[in-house]
Amino acid sequence: MMSIRQRKEIKTTDVSEDFPAQEENVKLENKLPSGRTNRRLWTILSFTIGGTIALCIGLLTSVYLATLHENDLWFSNIKEVEREISFRTECGLYYSYYKQMLQAPTLMQGFHGLIYDNKTESMRTINLLQRMNIYQEVFLSVLYRVLPIQKYLEPVYFYIYTLFGLQAIYVTALYITSWLLSGTWLSGLLAALWYVTNRIDTTRVEFTIPLRENWALPFFAIQIAAITYFLRPNLQPLSERLTLLAIFISTFLFSLTWQFNQFMMLMQALVLFILDSLDMLPAAKATWLYGIQITSLLLVCILQFFNSMILGSLLISFNLSVLIARKLQKNLKTGSFLDRLGKLLLHLFVVLCLTLFLNNVIKKILNLKSDEHIFKFLKAKFGLGATRDFDANLYLCEEAFGLLPFNTFERLSYTLLFYAYIFVLSITVIAALVVAFHNLSDSTNQQSMDKMGKCTVNLKPETAYNLIHTILFGFLALSTMRMKYLWTSHMCVFASFGLCSPEIWGLLLKSVRLCNPKRVIFLPYQFFFFWPGMMDELSELREFYDPDTVELMNWINSNTPRKAVFAGSMQLLAGVKLCTGRTLTNHPHYEDNSLRERTKAVYQIYAKRSPEEVHALLRSFGTDYVILEDSICYERRHRRGCRLRDLLDIANGHVSMSSHVRGLSPGDDGWPRRE
């Protein structure tokens, strides 16, 4: 690629004495327009090719995941009840509201049924749009009823194809983020390939389609790509405004579609706080991003009929505290190294105290207890005291909320992703530490400023943002396995960016002959080494098989009244709601305090309680039928101490804490192969 540098000034005496040099400069001047034209044409061609590949690989990933789903369940051939049963646990609950909206005589009656719902929790009328993040189901049901596609596409396919289509957007956003960071679309291609070849650890959409994270993560990826572009220096005003709009829309949609949005964005706010405090990104841009987070959450709060859990979130308290503390400490970024370090520690203390104070005040005013189970779980998880709390122990005994298994790194290493990630991360962390040290040095000294400028050339704000982002989300994934999908997808972006970025790695990558992005050896490795395995996976055919659950749903439909109330495990009752439309006593959406208490009361059917006590509890919820499950009575998935009946006996005080042994053994959730 042609590069042009600015000519040095030529003294008059030099010109008169050295005419050939002047003639040579004139020739170079004549060549400049042609060089600029060629460079512009090359940029347009590269952008066109890279953009086309981004769209194609996103669509191919979507088709690949949809094919795996079809091959695993033989989805096109099984009965409707089997399709619905395949939406396990809370997935079935969410899909039931899409089905409910489609079955409503009119859209208005469908909305009314969601706002005044008395079938999800017996003897109680709740607003589902307030309690749950199901606006996406509402939107899809309206779209399906309005569009002329009923004759050509079944409702369930319209639903699952939308989710697989979002995966195309997800991969394209990862591709673009890596491209923006590295400056070459080959980096984006490598990120997308790593995402696909590490599918087991980067996504679970093909077997948990309606899960909230599968709706939310594509918008989160778009937001990260937009923030990466927004943090670039010297953006044109129009580009900056359009990017801010993209950040706002993606943040809003991410917040609207996932109940855990506030915790993810709290991590993101911490990233901005760290970088702003270390002067590694413009303070004005950080303020814009804080404001967008707050505005998006408040807008979601309004749409969810003023959901108190959103108002009492730590994110809103933290962002407000940061903005207040910044006003109180206007001279935070002045002084010597020790002065700035002391001010930084004081700033951190002020923000922490303000956050806790504001959050406690808001929760006291709103009488908010919906998220207290999360803090009990975190307290028990990190060994801050043993607990008899049923909800906390229930989370602790679930594999998804445990530590990230070591075999995850073995799988990621097999595709070379983990090795590349550690390599890039190590170098970038060292560079960031050097930059942070220079930024905390005496900022009043012009010489120090010059040194700082030289130091920050190789660590741009967008690079620093993605670095801290991947570190914090890495800690989150290591502590809670369910959150690994946030980390592993960004791991693909960060590793590919580092390997393909000559501006950052320069001499280091040149020493191993990887400075030129066209020579990246990981691309052919991904293609040729994993292509046969992917083809074998696509040729592997299985079939959904769960005759006991199918028989149960058919029996309920045939032998029980439409208004009958069913009690049982949260996971199974979600399927009962979807397949039969019967009223439930409890369900898997565990974010409400009264529902958690109700679930614990229903589960007393498995505890050491007298029949009279259990009967009284069940009748208080209007229960007509109880579903007892052999898988719980003779539970083998968990070892002793983590079985449901053990957790209940501990919470009830029937078993001492010393006998509580936590631990998990992997379950067998495979289906038989198709003959």
Side-chain angles (χ1 to χ4, degrees), residues 269-280 290 468 472:
L270 286 172
V271 174
L272 297 173
F273 175 73
I274 293 170
L275 295 176
D276 184 24
S277 300
L278 297 176
D279 206 17
M280 295 173 74
Y290 288 135
I468 308 301
L472 291 188

Side-chain angles (χ1 to χ4, degrees), residues 387-391 393-394 397 568-570 590 596-609 614 617 628 632-633 635 641-657 659-660:
T387 178
R388 287 184 176 274
D389 186 75
F390 173 75
D391 302 316
N393 288 329
L394 191 64
C397 286
S569 69
M570 297 181 290
Y590 216 53
R596 292 194 296 271
E597 294 176 354
R598 175 182 282 224
T599 299
K600 181 181 175 183
V602 170
Y603 279 179
Q604 297 302 315
I605 57 179
Y606 297 108
K608 295 180 179 179
R609 302 290 290 268
V614 174
L617 284 171
L628 292 171
I632 297 178
C633 295
E635 190 168 3
C642 267
R643 298 171 298 186
L644 180 59
R645 58 186 185 273
D646 297 335
L647 300 180
L648 290 165
D649 291 340
I650 292 166
N652 295 336
H654 297 156
V655 175
S656 63
M657 288 291 292
S659 64
H660 186 181

Side-chain angles (χ1 to χ4, degrees), residues 465-476:
Y465 168 79
N466 281 275
L467 169 65
I468 308 301
H469 176 101
T470 196
I471 291 174
L472 291 188
F473 279 86
F475 283 124
L476 181 64

Side-chain angles (χ1 to χ4, degrees), residues 181-211:
L181 287 170
S182 66
T184 170
W185 56 263
L186 287 172
S187 171
L189 178 58
L190 180 58
L193 289 175
W194 257 328
Y195 178 86
V196 175
T197 54
N198 293 278
R199 174 184 56 81
I200 295 176
D201 296 299
T202 56
T203 183
R204 50 178 174 170
V205 65
E206 74 271 19
F207 59 90
T208 59
I209 296 176
L211 207 62

Side-chain angles (χ1 to χ4, degrees), residues 522-565:
F522 294 91
L523 285 172
Y525 177 80
Q526 298 296 317
F527 270 119
F528 297 111
F529 194 78
F530 292 99
W531 182 261
M534 292 170 66
M535 291 299 100
D536 290 342
E537 193 174 28
L538 287 173
S539 64
E540 191 173 358
L541 303 178
R542 299 184 181 184
E543 180 182 359
F544 176 85
Y545 185 75
D546 191 354
D548 293 338
T549 307
V550 171
E551 184 181 359
L552 172 65
M553 300 305 170
N554 289 335
W555 184 90
I556 292 173
N557 276 321
S558 304
N559 298 280
T560 64
R562 291 289 300 173
K563 295 184 178 180
V565 177

Side-chain angles (χ1 to χ4, degrees), residues 349-401:
F349 178 75
V350 170
V351 169
L352 180 63
C353 292
L354 270 175
T355 300
L356 295 176
F357 173 75
L358 287 175
N359 193 250
N360 284 327
V361 169
I362 293 172
K363 286 185 175 179
K364 288 289 185 183
I365 294 174
L366 299 176
N367 192 26
L368 180 62
K369 297 181 180 179
S370 296
D371 59 352
E372 64 179 6
H373 66 298
I374 297 175
F375 297 104
K376 289 180 181 178
F377 160 68
L378 292 175
K379 181 180 176 182
K381 182 179 180 65
F382 294 110
L384 300 178
T387 178
R388 287 184 176 274
D389 186 75
F390 173 75
D391 302 316
N393 288 329
L394 191 64
Y395 278 117
L396 285 172
C397 286
E398 285 298 324
E399 186 179 9
F401 293 94

